[in-house]
Amino acid sequence: MEKIRKISVFSFAKFQALMGLLIGFVFGILYSFGGLIIDILVSLEWITSTETPGLSYGTILAFGALIGMPIIGTALGFVFGIIQAILFNYTSNWFGGISLKTE
């Protein structure tokens, strides 16, 4: 068994940024489909809206989420990755680090 007691701060931050990008992209897609469904229901007049039927500001914001959510997820993942790595490096001596099983 190998113990990890220190991790590279920026390496871990880049990994967390990648995870935030992927999660932000998935949530951006889900948010966009929600906006699409609402716009379809308004266009079919199944629900009422104070806006005009069809494409609206909601659609623009929903598809903006495809760009915005991955950017926000990447930025937050990077910042929180730095914080997590620093906290791990600081506290790993208290609890003995992480044990890795190698075969």
Side-chain angles (χ1 to χ4, degrees):
M1 287 240 199
E2 190 175 333
K3 290 240 182 198
I4 296 178
R5 295 186 188 267
K6 298 273 184 208
I7 57 175
S8 171
V9 173
F10 288 109
S11 176
F12 188 72
K14 288 189 290 185
F15 172 74
Q16 289 293 88
L18 177 64
M19 292 297 107
L21 173 75
L22 296 175
I23 291 169
F25 189 64
V26 168
F27 283 130
I29 289 172
L30 292 175
Y31 188 86
S32 293
F33 278 121
L36 176 66
I37 290 170
I38 294 297
D39 279 342
I40 288 172
L41 293 176
V42 169
S43 296
L44 294 174
E45 297 179 358
W46 288 6
I47 61 174
T48 58
S49 174
T50 58
E51 298 174 7
T52 59
L55 298 179
S56 63
Y57 291 117
T59 305
I60 295 169
L61 291 175
F63 285 108
L66 287 173
I67 297 170
M69 285 186 173
I71 291 172
I72 292 170
T74 302
L76 289 177
F78 188 78
V79 170
F80 287 129
I82 290 173
I83 293 169
Q84 290 169 344
I86 289 171
L87 288 175
F88 176 80
N89 289 339
Y90 181 70
T91 61
S92 64
N93 289 331
W94 296 348
F95 59 85
I98 297 175
S99 296
L100 291 179
K101 190 180 210 180
T102 57
E103 295 180 340

